[in-house]
Amino acid sequence: MSAGYTDDEIRDLVFEYVGLAHGQKELWMQERGFSRERMSRWRKAIFDGDLDRGLIPREGSSMTSPSQWRKISHHREQREAENQALRARVRELEATNEALGKAIGLLHQINEREPDTPKTTKPNSSSKPKMS
């Protein structure tokens, strides 16, 4: 959508922007080197759902309806829940990997400690029991 920024970075910047109090937004954009046009384009892309679909926003209303805000908020909550679930799964897999590594280490230790068994030889004829 915008060179040098990922979709997640754009989304975070827009949410930071819209959360600012009236009168702080212009200074915030100047500090970051963003034009009004760029921020307007990004906001439209997010609020119309175009960013998630990889679409470039078209001209339209500059206002965001309450239903759009609820949709955006719900989408963000879903993403955070998915991220938490993925982090938990990563922790679980890391713990499993660590346990497997320890088990393999123990198996190597046990294998090293086992005494070598002598090779068996064929019995000679003198050791055969005699039949009467």
Side-chain angles (χ1 to χ4, degrees):
M1 161 117 199
S2 210
Y5 294 96
T6 66
D7 289 352
D8 287 334
E9 289 171 333
I10 292 171
R11 189 176 288 106
D12 290 341
L13 286 166
V14 168
F15 280 112
E16 183 178 345
Y17 172 82
V18 297
L20 294 172
H22 182 70
Q24 295 178 343
K25 293 179 180 183
E26 191 69 35
L27 178 62
W28 183 90
M29 285 190 298
Q30 287 175 359
E31 288 173 348
R32 285 156 183 79
F34 298 146
S35 66
R36 283 185 182 193
E37 181 181 278
R38 175 183 281 190
M39 187 54 63
S40 177
R41 230 176 340 128
W42 285 358
R43 287 178 58 203
K44 286 178 185 178
I46 289 173
F47 298 143
D48 293 341
D50 294 339
L51 183 67
D52 294 328
R53 295 180 296 197
L55 302 174
I56 297 171
R58 58 181 180 207
E59 293 301 316
S61 171
S62 62
M63 300 297 289
T64 303
S65 71
S67 64
Q68 287 173 313
W69 281 105
R70 283 191 296 275
K71 184 178 178 182
I72 291 165
S73 177
H74 178 69
H75 177 71
R76 189 169 205 164
E77 290 169 4
Q78 282 181 325
R79 267 189 354 154
E80 184 57 35
E82 289 171 1
N83 285 341
Q84 287 177 358
L86 289 172
R87 284 187 201 106
R89 181 68 175 142
V90 166
R91 285 191 300 272
E92 178 185 335
L93 291 172
E94 286 174 341
T96 301
N97 192 30
E98 184 178 340
L100 286 172
K102 288 178 180 179
I104 290 169
L106 288 173
L107 288 172
H108 283 296
Q109 287 177 359
I110 290 170
N111 193 26
E112 288 173 0
R113 283 190 226 145
E114 287 182 2
D116 289 336
T117 55
K119 293 183 179 179
T120 56
T121 59
K122 290 184 178 180
N124 58 26
S125 59
S126 61
S127 61
K128 287 187 180 178
K130 293 183 180 181
M131 298 197 142
S132 2

